[in-house]
Amino acid sequence: MGWQDAKGTKIVTRNFGVANSHKLAVYTSGGGWEGFKKAITAAPPALLDEVKKSNLRGRGGAGFSTGMKWSFIPKEAKRVYLVCNADESEPGTCKDRELLAYDPHMLIEGMTIASYTVGCKHAYIYIRGEMMREAKIVQAAIDEAYEAGWLGREHATANGPFKLDITLHRGAGAYICGEETALLNSLEGQRGWPRLKPPFPAVKGLFKEATIVNNVETLMNVPDIVLKGGDWFAKLGTAKSGGTRIVCVSGHVKKPGVYELPMGIPFRDLIYDVCGGIVGDRPLKGLIPGGSSMPPLDASEIDVPIEFDALMTDPRIKDVEAKPGVPFDLGGGRRLKTMAGSGGVVVFDDSTDVVALCARIMRFYAHESCGQCTPCREGTGWLARVCTRLAAGDGRPGDVDLLAHVAVGIAGNTICALGEAAAWPMLGFLTKFRGDFEQRLRKVA
Ligand SMILES: Cc1cc2nc3c(=O)[nH]c(=O)nc-3n(C[C@H](O)[C@H](O)[C@H](O)COP(=O)(O)O)c2cc1C
Ligand code: SF4
């Protein structure tokens, strides 16, 4: 099925706009918890196969196969945890916040099915500290699910008795705690510093036990996958990415917002059809495709589909260059163009000062670096300072090459991907808009 055929299909946002959609009675009257009832008639390996078949890929940013991740739990694991990553802090991204507010019961059901599948008895939701309203809504939904017996009570299943507890944990406002191992440290009551990997959380995660960390949107797709089948979900998407995709569009479009769209819709259709075009009908300069850590696309590249693999490999997109003429290699044969990331699309018109935009992004990552590794701690500071002086028209000769040099020095040399979150967009902005940066060198009298 192509993206046009899937137009209109809503999964995780289908209850947006329904009165009291956050209440259990409304959720169950619309078919809620039917997925769980079906799930417990099957053995966990059969459910895992269904999720694998669905081609569901993680919506937290990296697009890793969910079924594959679940299958990494060691057979001999004595205790398994499931953690929902609701820390959403990537600039430009505001989808999980809406999902939590409108449909917390879909998340709870998704987590319950996921827990049954991977053998978890106690699951956690780690919610961003600033999301106070959503935390209240989610806690109220958890309380309702306990009262109704979905949580905290034994269910007879094809695999024997199953009971799940869910605890909501509020973060304290650090972007780095969205990184899964920093999140686990924070949940344990330690400083939110990322851990060296391996071991990956599936083997040694929360309290040193096998742990699955999944994004809110990822888990909310699970009830429908079970109810309607992995094949149904896979067919909605593209060859290797099943289902729909939520994008949160901001910037210079006439109709910004959070949209659930067919996987693979091109950016052109998103901007000019779904979002009504550019404000004032000005020319487009470019866009950030999936949160501020993703390299931008320029106006000539908007026919690329919004989909995990296409954004990395579409031959119509130029290679990102580390320096002029030197392509930046992500390793493993993958050339970095950009990535679908978190779904946060930021559209900018021809009036945009891209150097100032890039400098703002760099200051964010410099501020949020946890400081454990030198390339990230020092490098993000350099990127922020040099970009900021360029934006002020005070760039020094060699500054543009210096930015590329520092960015290449960060990428691949850090404990977690926050380093790349700064380095990749830096390289992307330099490749796509190098002229804008060069114009900002200080004029020597
Ligand atoms: C610096 C950093 C911040 C992150 N922030 C988030 C976040 O806020 N929410 C999220 O779901 N994933 C975030 N991730 C990705 C998580 O580490 C993890 O890959 C994800 O939660 C896995 O879920 P998924 O497989 O369902 O995508 C972040 C990663 C990095 C490196
Ligand atoms: S890359 Fe940056 S944020 Fe990640 S562990 Fe190293 S210093 Fe901390």
Side-chain angles (χ1 to χ4, degrees), residues 55-373:
N55 283 343
L56 172 64
R57 291 171 66 172
R59 307 296 202 242
F64 193 79
S65 157
T66 305
M68 179 103 76
K69 187 187 275 190
W70 292 6
S71 70
F72 289 156
I73 293 287
K75 298 252 174 317
E76 64 282 4
K78 290 202 179 68
R79 189 165 292 162
V80 179
Y81 289 109
L82 172 75
V83 178
C84 170
N85 189 341
D87 195 53
E88 184 174 68
S89 321
E90 173 84 347
T93 316
C94 54
K95 65 184 178 71
D96 294 342
R97 192 179 62 188
E98 301 295 301
L99 294 172
L100 293 165
Y102 282 109
D103 223 334
H105 287 285
M106 196 185 286
L107 174 64
I108 295 169
E109 185 186 2
M111 289 180 70
T112 310
I113 298 171
S115 295
Y116 172 65
T117 310
V118 300
C120 162
K121 295 180 180 134
H122 196 145
Y124 290 84
I125 302 173
Y126 186 101
I127 192 166
R128 176 177 171 170
E130 290 92 333
M131 293 191 198
M132 288 180 252
R133 183 182 70 116
E134 292 73 18
K136 275 193 194 140
I137 295 172
V138 173
Q139 187 58 59
I142 291 173
D143 295 344
E144 270 195 302
Y146 269 103
E147 274 162 36
W150 296 113
L151 296 177
R153 199 180 294 168
E154 245 170 39
H155 299 273
T157 77
N159 196 39
F162 166 74
K163 175 166 97 75
L164 180 69
D165 286 301
I166 294 184
T167 302
L168 177 70
H169 180 95
R170 287 187 58 201
Y175 168 74
I176 193 56
C177 288
E179 195 280 336
E180 57 186 5
T181 58
L183 184 155
L184 295 177
N185 272 342
S186 170
L187 200 48
E188 289 178 4
Q190 304 183 51
R191 185 179 291 198
W193 271 6
R195 300 174 182 173
L196 268 176
K197 290 179 263 187
F200 288 94
V203 176
K204 196 173 175 188
L206 188 63
F207 307 122
K208 300 192 170 55
E209 307 285 353
T211 303
I212 295 296
V213 182
N214 272 137
N215 172 259
V216 173
E217 184 189 343
T218 311
L219 289 163
M220 285 179 67
N221 277 298
V222 173
D224 263 21
I225 290 174
V226 172
L227 206 53
K228 298 178 183 168
D231 282 337
W232 167 81
F233 191 85
K235 279 191 195 129
L236 281 179
T238 54
K240 288 186 186 163
S241 302
T244 55
R245 182 77 222 235
I246 300 200
V247 286
C248 0
V249 193
S250 60
H252 297 142
V253 286
K254 289 179 185 167
K255 290 191 283 178
V258 176
Y259 299 98
E260 182 169 8
L261 298 169
M263 188 76 77
I265 180 175
F267 282 105
R268 183 182 296 281
D269 297 40
L270 173 69
I271 296 169
Y272 292 102
D273 180 6
V274 180
C275 297
I278 307 289
V279 177
D281 297 319
R282 295 185 70 100
L284 174 74
K285 179 144 185 162
L287 60 87
I288 293 169
S292 60
S293 57
M294 296 299 137
L297 302 180
D298 67 29
S300 70
E301 299 170 319
I302 59 171
D303 289 311
V304 63
I306 305 178
E307 191 254 6
F308 296 107
D309 302 307
L311 276 167
M312 286 199 281
T313 56
D314 192 296
R316 288 168 295 185
I317 307 178
K318 294 184 286 243
D319 285 324
V320 168
E321 292 173 352
K323 298 187 233 176
V326 182
F328 180 69
D329 202 327
L330 193 57
R334 290 185 310 167
R335 275 286 159 73
L336 176 69
K337 276 78 175 181
T338 189
M339 284 169 83
S342 60
V345 178
V346 184
V347 178
F348 43 94
D349 71 17
D350 65 335
S351 70
T352 305
D353 179 344
V354 285
V355 184
L357 170 62
C358 185
R360 181 68 195 87
I361 293 172
M362 293 307 132
R363 287 197 296 274
F364 172 79
Y365 291 111
H367 183 261
E368 297 298 333
S369 166
C370 84
Q372 270 192 103
C373 15

Side-chain angles (χ1 to χ4, degrees), residues 395-444:
R396 300 172 195 171
D399 267 2
V400 177
D401 287 336
L402 176 62
L403 286 173
H405 177 75
V406 173
V408 170
I410 297 172
N413 295 318
T414 57
I415 293 174
C416 87
L418 188 142
E420 276 98 11
W424 290 352
M426 187 68 250
L427 292 165
F429 271 100
L430 285 180
T431 306
K432 306 291 165 68
F433 305 106
R434 195 177 176 98
D436 293 64
F437 284 80
E438 279 166 352
Q439 275 170 16
R440 310 302 270 274
L441 297 175
R442 189 194 295 160
K443 303 278 177 292
V444 182

